[in-house]
Amino acid sequence: MRLRKSSITDRTLLMMIIVVLIQSVIFAATLLNGDIVEKTNQNAFDTMNEKVTNRRTYLENDMIQRWSNLESKSVMMTDKIIAYLDEQQLTIDELAKNTSAAVPLIDAVSEDIISILRTNQVTGAFLILGNDNSDNVQTNGIYLRDMDPIANPNDNSDLLCLRAPASITEGLNIPLDIYWNPQFQFNEENKSDIFYYRVLSVAAQNLQAAHKDLGYWSSSATDSNGVDVILYTLPLLDHDGNVLGILGVDVSLDYLKSLMPSKELNSNASYLLAKITNQTAQLEYIAASGPLYTNIFHSEPTVSILDKTNYINAFEFETEENNQVYGNVQLLSLYNTNSPYADDSWVLVGLMRGQDLKFFTNELYKSCLLASLLSFAVLFGVILVLSRSFTHPIRKLAKEVKNFNPNEPVKLNPTNILEIDNLSSAIEELSRDVAETASSFGRIISMTSYPFSAFEYYTDQERFFCTDQLLATIGIRDAQLQIKNKEDLIYLLELLDKQYPSTRVDNQIRIYRIADDIDHKQRWIRMHIMKEANHIYGVVENVTSEMLELHKAEYERDHDVLTSLLNRRAYTEKMNKLFKQHDQLKVAALVMSDLDNLKYINDTFGHDCGDDYIRLMANVLKSSYPPQHSIISRISGDEFFVFLYGYDSKEEIQKILGEFEKNMNECVWKLPDGSFSKLRATTGVAWYPNDAIELTSLTKYADFAMYRMKHTQKGSLYFFDQEEYENDAYLLQAKEDLNKLIDQEMVAYQFQPIVDAHTGEVYAYEALMRSKLAAFMNPLDILRIARAQSKLYFIEHLTFFKAMEDYVKQPGYEKYRLFINTIANQVLTAEDIAEFSAKYSDYLPNLVLEITEAEKLEDRPAKEKRRLVDKWHAKIAVDDYGTGYNGESVLLQVEPDFIKIDRSIVHNISFDENRQILLQNIISYCKENHILIIAEGIENELEMKTLINAGVDYMQGFYLAQPAYELQDISEQKKQLIREYYETK
């Protein structure tokens, strides 16, 4: 039976309609039955959290790294003030009150104030002289204002002077503000002046605090010029801790709001900068951008959090009207945990209406239905048009083929498709006139062994010619590709241009690289095409041997013979070229690795073994780093450079670096003596553009990071740190101070009580080192310099002997235990132990050796410390548990009698559920293993109550008692509180 013929258009249209209908049914079922609404809400809140987190990070970085970066300037100004006072034989009070006496000094520091304005990009910078904290203060100083900190003209024309003697402003050529006054005036009852009195008070009460921890951020206030600002102030202290003045900057709220673009959340949203205290769920307004805060909260000074949501950092806020407002709350880490201002918490809040956040969810069903109907209609129209367009060339071809002069008979089978059958009939009619054509030139070429072929055709005729070996010369093995007419030849030439890479030699000659799909070998052909009017002819040559020789020479020039990695010349050339195209770099990292122990392997097992070691490193690099976004090179004997580029974030590169470290750790090879060794290399990493944007600096920083780790912990990966790089100069300067401190024992010890969490009675004291040299602000500075100078042992010796010497002078010392800090990787010599044991034999059972977290504890020091404690019948403690190197492995190494919970866990534990869970896990482990728990760093009553309820054994912190040079008890009031909380927990 003969089948009914149908057109391609009909069949295609029917199939496409069926597919679209099936897709619509599946989509509708998925939408109705899936958990799409909740996922949509989750996505909205996650997007809001990501944007607020990014904005928080940006603002926090400005506040900490730029605006409040006054440490170096404060040291410089302090030195100038001290020198001036000594030179003029003045007191600081006389300098603060006597304007004529202060003018030379103010003139000397004025350029520093201008430098702060330019460098820190703030709207104001000032220096207040003196330390008068009376009710009404009038004092000398200088205060300059720049309302546009981004613009920096060559002169000072953009600045205004708010406070300074008139003679100073004339010399600086800075115009006076309309509210100018020659001196500062402060009143204790003026809210805008509170910062002045608080900075003086805190500095006087915290003489032992690190200088940078005395920096204070004060919330928004209106200065005497009517400008709303936030302030950062830092007291200037002499060597005895006396306040010489206050250095500060201000940031106007208008400028601050420009850094909180609420439109990135929503056109109706707001960013709110606020303060939050530990005891309340209210936010105190500092600054807000966007319309939402004004429209909903009417610029109230405080707003209240109503409830916590199930989404990350998201809270619902209390509003007067029936408005649902959500806020994403992000904490700004402005202070160190040891800062006197650590409880002043600032937060950045992204505020959005509930209807804006969930708008997409509410419109989802309606939009999906509309989209389904619209897509069906559009697809139907597109299918109809495409189907007819698809058949049009076939019908046209059927008509055109009738005019061709075929040269071979063709018989096509019927397809029962109208258009194709029409085409087949036309081709069959044309095939009756087919005749063979040949070229004598082609036959001659086919008889030669030289690998070349030729072709020609006319643009205005159907005549064409090509040699039989054309496809073989080109190297395309496609059984369906045959050269039967001019169109086939043109198609072949177009295929070469589209699918195969080529290099243009000149306007007529081009070299193509052909990859064989069967044996995967590469071949190169040279095609020379000439055009004369309507006549086009060409010659094709196989030049594979010639190109292979050229590539071999180039490869040997650019690659290391041993590892096949790029050599220094090729690496430098590629990097210089890449750094001229910054848009390709995006986020990048220079990774510099130095092979460890190569000299030892060469000296012990021979250079052949060393070569194997180098090749093993090269193989790890090749397998770890993706070739499409990396440049891998062997720069010298044991140095390898890898440049990773073209990534969108640091996290992507860090994941690749993690894979590199994993491959390194898993790489084990067999040495000639039959033993096995791990592959080890020390690696430094510098980031583009965060650390540097030009290649020389980036290389220098990666080299610094690598060699810093080389001298501390070989075989590890380390990221460049700008602060450590700058501190290298400090390390050199502090070398002599460290020698003086050790030789002359320039330290004293304060003692802080450790209190029983059940009774409130003092159980023990911890000995805390205090330097008598101004070069060292705290014990961490001493340890850092000693580590760099390989003198940690001398600090260990000094700690044991000097701490005990100061302690035994205290009345009643024998009633308490003494906690002495001991460096994890240091052990006293047998002679020193014998001397210490003989001198303090009666007190040894009351000692507790407290292992610090700054150094890694290795097996030998761990065993020696444990043996020493057992010999003395003393105790052992792990300090700052949860930070540094003091983690679970230390508990297993030393089996301590005490662990001290670090301040980072204790801080804000009353409001942080994650900290509470972590503490409970630690307590549970310790109770099971009979380890006593000491919570340190307690700074308020709420933290103390939470820790007692949690079940700690002992407590320590500024709230209970500050360190002192004499043994002190805590107050009876606090003892009573401890007993009450313990009895009612």
Side-chain angles (χ1 to χ4, degrees):
M1 182 178 69
R2 188 173 182 178
L3 297 176
R4 185 178 66 85
K5 295 183 179 181
S6 61
S7 69
I8 293 177
T9 301
D10 296 339
R11 294 189 177 189
T12 304
L13 190 59
L14 179 60
M15 288 188 294
M16 290 299 181
I17 290 174
I18 293 173
V19 170
V20 171
L21 288 174
I22 293 173
Q23 288 180 334
S24 299
V25 172
I26 294 173
F27 178 75
T30 303
L31 182 63
L32 293 174
N33 297 325
D35 191 17
I36 295 178
V37 173
E38 176 57 29
K39 290 180 180 177
T40 304
N41 285 339
Q42 178 72 51
N43 183 66
F45 279 94
D46 287 349
T47 301
M48 181 182 182
N49 179 67
E50 180 180 354
K51 291 180 179 179
V52 177
T53 300
N54 292 338
R55 183 54 51 187
R56 184 280 315 271
T57 302
Y58 179 84
L59 184 60
E60 184 178 83
N61 185 64
D62 271 351
M63 295 180 74
I64 296 175
Q65 302 297 330
R66 185 164 60 189
W67 298 344
S68 62
N69 186 14
L70 300 178
E71 195 70 23
S72 60
K73 289 294 185 184
S74 68
V75 173
M76 186 187 308
M77 291 192 185
T78 300
D79 292 342
K80 288 183 178 181
I81 293 173
I82 293 174
Y84 185 76
L85 292 175
D86 292 342
E87 178 186 342
Q88 300 295 324
Q89 296 297 308
L90 296 172
T91 66
I92 188 63
D93 289 337
E94 292 171 338
L95 185 65
K97 303 303 181 184
N98 189 333
T99 300
S100 60
V103 165
L105 175 63
I106 295 174
D107 184 51
V109 302
S110 59
E111 289 298 331
D112 296 326
I113 297 297
I114 295 173
S115 174
I116 291 173
L117 279 173
R118 303 302 191 197
T119 304
N120 296 39
Q121 293 187 350
V122 290
T123 56
F126 56 86
L127 171 65
I128 304 170
L129 295 174
N131 53 23
D132 187 357
N133 61 353
S134 58
D135 291 346
N136 290 288
V137 178
Q138 190 165 348
T139 186
N140 289 317
I142 182 172
Y143 193 165
L144 301 180
R145 172 61 53 79
D146 181 2
M147 292 309 293
D148 185 7
I150 302 301
N152 288 316
N154 295 327
D155 55 13
N156 296 328
S157 61
D158 61 328
L159 304 183
L160 292 174
C161 178
L162 279 67
R163 301 288 182 272
S167 60
I168 297 296
T169 62
E170 293 173 0
L172 294 175
N173 195 25
I174 296 176
L176 300 178
D177 187 77
I178 58 173
Y179 297 100
W180 169 82
N181 196 301
Q183 289 185 312
F184 287 91
Q185 296 178 350
F186 299 107
N187 190 301
E188 197 167 15
E189 295 181 358
N190 188 343
K191 182 179 178 181
S192 297
D193 296 341
I194 291 177
F195 78 92
Y196 173 79
Y197 293 97
R198 186 169 188 191
V199 169
L200 293 180
S201 174
V202 171
Q205 296 173 10
N206 294 269
L207 297 179
Q208 304 302 322
H211 184 231
K212 63 182 180 181
D213 289 339
L214 296 176
Y216 172 57
W217 283 99
S218 59
S219 54
S220 58
T222 303
D223 66 12
S224 59
N225 301 345
V227 178
D228 293 330
V229 296
I230 61 171
L231 299 170
Y232 177 79
T233 48
L234 186 66
L236 304 181
L237 308 176
D238 64 12
H239 299 312
D240 297 324
N242 298 315
V243 178
L244 301 175
I246 297 174
L247 179 64
V249 297
D250 73 43
V251 179
S252 73
L253 294 196
D254 288 339
Y255 179 51
L256 184 61
K257 291 174 184 178
S258 70
L259 302 179
M260 301 187 300
S262 61
K263 287 187 178 180
E264 68 185 15
L265 299 175
N266 182 273
S267 59
N268 297 320
S270 281
Y271 270 121
L272 170 64
L273 183 65
K275 288 179 62 175
I276 184 171
T277 61
N278 293 338
Q279 291 79 17
T280 178
Q282 285 193 328
L283 304 181
E284 298 178 11
Y285 170 89
I286 296 176
S289 64
L292 181 61
Y293 186 80
T294 302
N295 295 339
I296 299 298
F297 299 104
H298 309 297
S299 301
E300 289 292 332
T302 61
V303 294
S304 298
I305 296 175
L306 184 62
D307 194 13
K308 177 77 170 67
T309 70
N310 294 326
Y311 305 106
I312 300 175
N313 297 326
F315 295 82
E316 185 174 355
F317 279 70
E318 182 178 340
T319 60
E320 294 181 358
E321 302 173 4
N322 189 23
N323 291 307
Q324 192 177 42
V325 174
Y326 292 98
N328 186 279
V329 182
Q330 299 279 350
L331 186 66
L332 294 169
S333 300
L334 300 183
Y335 300 107
N336 293 329
T337 55
N338 294 324
S339 170
Y341 307 107
D343 289 334
D344 284 8
S345 299
W346 289 41
V347 294
L348 180 66
V349 184
L351 295 171
M352 290 184 67
R353 295 177 186 265
Q355 63 191 38
D356 292 334
L357 254 180
K358 301 177 181 179
F359 175 79
F360 185 77
T361 302
N362 298 334
E363 297 292 318
L364 182 60
Y365 286 117
K366 183 172 65 177
S367 298
C368 289
L369 178 60
L370 181 60
S372 297
L373 295 174
L374 183 60
S375 63
F376 181 82
V378 171
L379 283 173
F380 183 84
V382 169
I383 292 167
L384 184 60
V385 172
L386 290 178
S387 298
R388 293 193 176 277
S389 299
F390 175 73
T391 58
H392 175 71
I394 300 175
R395 293 193 300 270
K396 183 178 179 181
L397 178 61
K399 296 176 182 178
E400 292 177 351
V401 168
K402 295 178 181 179
N403 299 320
F404 289 171
N405 290 317
N407 49 23
E408 288 186 3
V410 176
K411 179 63 177 177
L412 300 176
N413 295 319
T415 62
N416 294 324
I417 298 176
L418 181 61
E419 293 81 1
I420 301 299
D421 285 344
N422 288 340
L423 178 62
S424 300
S425 299
I427 293 174
E428 289 173 352
E429 182 179 351
L430 181 63
S431 68
R432 288 191 297 267
D433 299 323
V434 172
E436 181 181 358
T437 61
S439 171
S440 59
F441 180 68
R443 293 191 184 96
I444 295 173
I445 291 176
S446 64
M447 295 172 63
T448 68
S449 60
Y450 191 75
F452 80 97
S453 298
F455 62 87
E456 69 171 346
Y457 67 90
Y458 293 85
T459 59
D460 58 348
Q461 301 178 28
E462 296 304 319
R463 291 174 53 196
F464 87 100
F465 160 80
C466 71
T467 59
D468 295 338
Q469 299 298 317
L470 179 60
L471 288 176
T473 303
I474 293 175
I476 297 179
R477 302 190 191 184
D478 188 343
Q480 296 181 356
L481 182 60
Q482 299 180 19
I483 310 299
K484 295 183 177 181
N485 50 48
K486 186 179 77 171
E487 281 67 28
D488 291 340
L489 178 60
I490 294 174
Y491 172 76
L492 174 63
L493 298 178
E494 292 176 347
L495 182 66
L496 284 173
D497 285 335
K498 291 180 180 178
Q499 293 192 6
Y500 299 100
S502 64
T503 303
R504 183 182 293 276
V505 178
D506 56 34
N507 291 334
Q508 297 177 343
I509 301 176
R510 186 184 291 268
I511 296 176
Y512 293 89
R513 178 166 56 88
I514 311 294
D516 195 314
D517 294 334
I518 298 177
D519 58 15
H520 303 292
K521 291 183 178 179
Q522 301 273 356
R523 72 161 53 197
W524 284 263
I525 63 167
R526 179 163 54 218
M527 183 176 293
H528 189 169
I529 298 179
M530 294 286 292
K531 297 181 180 180
E532 296 178 356
N534 297 325
H535 185 200
I536 298 175
Y537 54 94
V539 175
V540 180
E541 300 175 77
N542 186 336
V543 292
T544 301
S545 298
E546 179 183 336
M547 294 301 296
L548 287 176
E549 289 296 325
L550 177 62
H551 290 169
K552 181 180 178 182
E554 291 176 348
Y555 185 88
E556 291 175 351
R557 180 197 66 192
D558 293 341
H559 289 77
D560 174 55
V561 177
L562 183 61
T563 63
S564 297
L565 298 177
L566 292 178
N567 57 26
R568 180 187 292 273
R569 192 207 69 80
Y571 166 81
T572 303
E573 181 180 342
K574 279 181 172 287
M575 291 293 283
N576 288 335
K577 186 182 297 183
L578 188 60
F579 266 73
K580 292 178 181 178
Q581 302 171 338
H582 290 278
D583 56 327
Q584 294 186 17
L585 296 177
K586 301 171 81 173
V587 176
L590 180 58
V591 184
M592 189 180 296
S593 296
D594 187 84
L595 200 55
D596 296 333
N597 304 324
L598 178 61
K599 185 178 184 303
Y600 167 77
I601 291 173
N602 283 333
D603 294 345
T604 307
F605 301 106
H607 286 274
D608 289 342
C609 186
D611 290 346
D612 291 339
Y613 191 46
I614 293 171
R615 278 192 289 267
L616 190 63
M617 176 64 178
N619 292 335
V620 169
L621 293 175
K622 294 174 187 176
S623 63
S624 301
Y625 297 113
Q628 64 271 25
H629 288 294
S630 64
I631 298 174
I632 308 174
S633 170
R634 181 188 178 203
I635 296 298
S636 62
D638 55 0
E639 273 195 344
F640 298 83
F641 285 8
V642 179
F643 187 64
L644 301 170
Y645 65 94
Y647 293 90
D648 294 322
S649 67
K650 282 186 178 181
E651 288 72 18
E652 295 180 70
I653 296 179
Q654 287 171 337
K655 184 177 179 180
I656 296 172
L657 293 175
E659 183 68 20
F660 164 67
E661 287 192 284
K662 175 176 174 291
N663 292 342
M664 285 283 293
N665 294 331
E666 292 176 353
C667 188
V668 179
W669 67 305
K670 189 175 182 179
L671 294 170
D673 63 358
S675 63
F676 290 89
S677 175
K678 281 191 173 183
L679 177 66
R680 286 185 53 183
T682 303
T683 301
V685 181
W687 292 103
Y688 174 95
N690 293 51
D691 294 331
I693 59 173
E694 52 96 17
L695 181 56
T696 303
S697 298
L698 199 66
T699 304
K700 179 171 63 176
Y701 292 162
D703 183 72
F704 170 81
M706 180 184 71
Y707 279 100
R708 181 172 184 84
M709 188 54 53
K710 195 85 171 175
H711 296 315
T712 55
Q713 187 178 353
K714 282 187 176 182
S716 299
L717 185 146
Y718 186 70
F719 292 95
F720 173 74
D721 187 292
Q722 184 70 38
E723 183 177 353
E724 291 180 350
Y725 180 78
E726 293 172 354
N727 283 346
D728 258 15
Y730 169 69
L731 293 176
L732 294 175
Q733 295 172 3
K735 179 179 179 181
E736 292 302 321
D737 290 324
L738 179 66
N739 292 335
K740 181 179 180 181
L741 180 138
I742 294 172
D743 295 340
Q744 301 181 23
E745 296 185 348
M746 299 288 288
V747 296
Y749 281 84
Q750 291 185 329
F751 304 96
Q752 187 175 32
I754 298 173
V755 177
D756 191 311
H758 306 158
T759 65
E761 298 298 330
V762 175
Y763 169 74
Y765 289 90
E766 180 182 359
L768 301 172
M769 177 185 287
R770 299 292 182 259
S771 169
K772 295 180 181 179
L773 296 177
F776 303 110
M777 302 298 294
N778 55 60
L780 293 179
D781 289 342
I782 298 174
L783 288 174
R784 182 157 54 89
I785 304 303
R787 185 184 304 110
Q789 301 297 329
S790 300
K791 292 187 177 181
L792 286 175
Y793 179 82
F794 297 99
I795 302 302
E796 180 81 350
H797 179 278
L798 187 63
T799 300
F800 269 77
F801 283 87
K802 192 64 177 174
M804 279 301 299
E805 177 184 321
D806 288 357
Y807 186 65
V808 297
K809 296 176 183 177
Q810 307 295 327
Y813 75 91
E814 63 279 351
K815 295 186 294 184
Y816 308 102
R817 289 189 180 277
L818 177 64
F819 282 64
I820 293 182
N821 289 294
T822 176
I823 303 171
N825 59 5
Q826 301 297 316
V827 179
L828 293 179
T829 63
E831 294 78 5
D832 287 341
I833 291 174
E835 179 185 352
F836 187 83
S837 300
K839 193 171 184 178
Y840 302 108
S841 58
D842 293 341
Y843 190 78
L844 294 178
N846 278 353
L847 279 181
V848 180
L849 301 189
E850 186 173 324
I851 300 175
T852 60
E853 85 290 353
E855 306 295 327
K856 185 176 182 180
L857 181 64
E858 299 176 351
D859 287 341
R860 189 189 71 81
K863 292 177 181 178
E864 289 294 324
K865 291 180 189 293
R866 184 77 256 180
R867 184 189 63 78
L868 189 61
V869 165
D870 293 341
K871 178 181 177 181
W872 287 349
H873 303 290
K875 302 289 184 183
I876 196 165
V878 172
D879 188 22
D880 294 336
Y881 180 75
T883 64
Y885 290 102
N886 283 354
E888 292 79 356
S889 61
V890 176
L891 300 183
L892 300 176
Q893 280 181 290
V894 301
E895 299 177 357
D897 303 289
F898 304 88
I899 68 167
K900 300 184 79 172
I901 305 298
D902 184 62
R903 167 67 180 155
S904 63
I905 298 176
V906 172
H907 181 62
N908 278 340
I909 192 171
S910 308
F911 302 96
D912 194 323
E913 185 176 347
N914 291 330
R915 282 185 167 91
Q916 295 171 15
I917 293 172
L918 178 59
L919 177 63
Q920 286 300 331
N921 291 336
I922 296 172
I923 291 175
S924 176
Y925 174 85
C926 291
K927 296 298 183 185
E928 291 177 4
N929 292 274
H930 309 292
I931 301 173
L932 297 173
I933 303 165
I934 303 172
E936 62 180 346
I938 299 173
E939 296 192 352
N940 58 60
E941 181 182 338
L942 202 53
E943 289 178 352
M944 182 182 75
K945 179 180 179 181
T946 302
L947 292 165
I948 293 174
N949 290 336
V952 302
D953 300 294
Y954 301 100
M955 300 181 296
Q956 179 182 356
F958 275 34
Y959 174 74
L960 298 169
Q962 295 191 10
Y965 290 105
E966 297 83 24
L967 301 186
Q968 294 183 353
D969 199 353
I970 70 171
S971 68
E972 286 299 327
Q973 179 185 5
K974 289 177 182 174
K975 288 183 180 180
Q976 182 62 31
L977 275 176
I978 292 171
R979 288 191 289 267
E980 289 177 0
Y981 287 148
Y982 175 71
E983 292 168 359
T984 59
K985 74 172 183 176

